[in-house]
Amino acid sequence: MIENILHPRITESKDWATVLFVLSFAIIAVTKSVFENRFGDFANLIFSNKYNKVYRDSSHLKSGFTISLFFVQVISLAFFIQISLSYFGHASKTDWILYIQIFTFLTFFVLSKYLIEKIIATSFNIEEFMEQFNLQKVTYRTYIGLIILPLNIILFYYDSFSRNIPLLIIAIILIINILTYLISIKNYQNIIFGKLFYFILYLCALEIAPYYFMYYWFTKGSA
């Protein structure tokens, strides 16, 4: 008699990701409905600088529009980080516990960085400039988060993609971030040159150092 041994088939659940993707698009739809004109200007950001000119006041940094899309941005970037780690064999892209850890770390990192910047800006009397500078950075990073959201969906549900795809997206994100800084420096050059020492101190301490230490931590952790 042939004895059949049954092995349980273990499948990794992707339902949690589906819920988050649907939630993200629901937030985008509600935001578009509530802030129709502003969302239209925001959507054309890559083609026109109208959005930055109209919504350059620092009060917009704490508006419902910015906060709701910031939430979508963090969801999207957390997915991209986890998917990238999985493509290079350092994690599973369906591990929801890891996703929560990445999401929490990103949220804590961004908010704590903002608070530290706020304290330094107040100490150096450059608060208004720093608020506007942060608003412009948040605007472009939110735009990046929304652009890569559909790419995350494709990369999450399909496995037959080259490792070069995440690398290409990372390169594009880095280029856009560099361009964002150049645009910000051009727009606020009079204020920056008036407080050049403080700006260089801010750039080194809060813009370069944190990302360097994160890179060092990830590369050492995966070594």
Side-chain angles (χ1 to χ4, degrees), residues 105-121:
F105 173 78
L106 271 180
T107 305
F108 175 78
F109 175 77
V110 173
L111 294 180
S112 59
K113 186 171 177 289
Y114 171 74
L115 290 175
I116 294 172
E117 288 175 357
K118 186 89 171 173
I119 294 170
I120 292 177

Side-chain angles (χ1 to χ4, degrees), residues 24 27-28 31 38-39 42 51 60-78 99 103-114 134-135 137-139 141-143 145-146:
S24 298
I27 293 173
I28 294 172
T31 305
R38 184 173 179 178
F39 191 90
F42 177 77
Y51 180 87
H60 292 294
L61 190 62
K62 302 179 183 69
S63 67
F65 179 88
T66 304
I67 293 172
S68 59
L69 291 187
F70 170 78
F71 184 68
V72 176
Q73 173 201 161
V74 177
I75 291 177
S76 180
L77 292 178
Y99 179 83
F103 180 88
T104 304
F105 173 78
L106 271 180
T107 305
F108 175 78
F109 175 77
V110 173
L111 294 180
S112 59
K113 186 171 177 289
Y114 171 74
N134 272 321
L135 177 61
K137 289 192 300 179
V138 168
T139 298
R141 287 173 186 171
T142 300
Y143 198 82
L146 266 61

